[in-house]
Amino acid sequence: HDLRTPLTRLRLAVEMLPEKTAPPLVERMRRDIEEMSAQIGQAVELGGTLGAGERQQEDVAKLVSQVVGNRPRVLWRPLGRCMHTVNAQALRRILGNLIENALRYSLAPVEVRLDCRHETPSLQVLDRGPGIPAAEREAVFRPFYRLERSRNRSTGGSGLGLAVARQLAVANAMEIELSDRVGGGLVARIILPPARAGDDTASIY
């Protein structure tokens, strides 16, 4: 709240600028204010409710279908059930963030795959974007970190999507790995927690 109050004053000041003020300057100031407001909101969220949650038996394939929904340019073909013990809310958020990140930096379709053949099922989000250099694949999980060549203001990203995904994953016994995609692009892999007694992951996929 303390930070949003001066931003509100800045918005008012911009709207009260003389009419002769250069329109490009005014528009740039408005964009900067909105970007600051968005980053404040996401930073508060990052430090708030991103901890561990209750894990229950869920159909991971169904969760993926819910996250993908009717998003354009996302390729996902469910093949059957994949029962596993996970924090469903955390997994939805992590997967959603990775998909949004892939769509933001790739004009080509983004593919989502589920491997449910092992005790630790995994999800992959594959894009055809510029990728991430190996030396920076850990740094991109830091809040507000941007890659100079692909993470910039024109993309609309705030630099928090991957940080939120990593924090949720760690808190809920999941892992996220980034790697090169054959033919160009990035593969973001979510490794789910180890299977518990009663998880049915081997016979469906």
Side-chain angles (χ1 to χ4, degrees), residues 9-110:
R9 290 199 295 265
L10 282 173
R11 285 193 185 96
L12 180 61
V14 168
E15 297 305 321
M16 295 179 65
L17 287 172
E19 293 184 2
K20 63 181 179 180
T21 305
L25 174 61
V26 173
E27 185 58 32
R28 187 162 63 248
M29 293 172 68
R30 286 175 178 155
R31 288 199 306 268
D32 288 344
I33 290 171
E34 293 308 315
E35 183 176 355
M36 285 188 288
S37 180
Q39 289 185 351
I40 289 170
Q42 291 175 324
V44 169
E45 181 183 35
L46 181 64
T49 58
L50 298 181
E54 183 179 0
R55 284 189 257 169
Q56 296 181 336
Q57 273 273 298
E58 304 281 353
D59 182 352
V60 178
K62 183 177 180 180
L63 292 181
V64 175
S65 294
Q66 292 171 350
V67 174
V68 171
N70 295 319
R71 294 175 193 249
R73 293 197 294 121
V74 179
L75 305 179
W76 157 246
R77 186 166 63 94
L79 300 176
R81 294 191 311 148
C82 177
M83 303 305 298
H84 199 74
T85 302
V86 295
N87 177 350
Q89 183 176 356
L91 181 56
R92 287 191 190 97
R93 183 68 182 281
I94 294 167
L95 180 60
N97 281 18
L98 294 180
I99 291 174
E100 287 299 324
N101 196 70
L103 289 171
R104 183 175 294 121
Y105 302 114
S106 174
L107 297 178
V110 169

Side-chain angles (χ1 to χ4, degrees), residues 147-166:
L147 289 175
E148 183 64 27
R149 64 191 176 89
S150 62
R151 270 65 174 170
N152 53 56
R153 292 186 179 186
S154 65
T155 67
S158 67
L160 275 176
L162 290 179
V164 168
R166 167 61 68 81

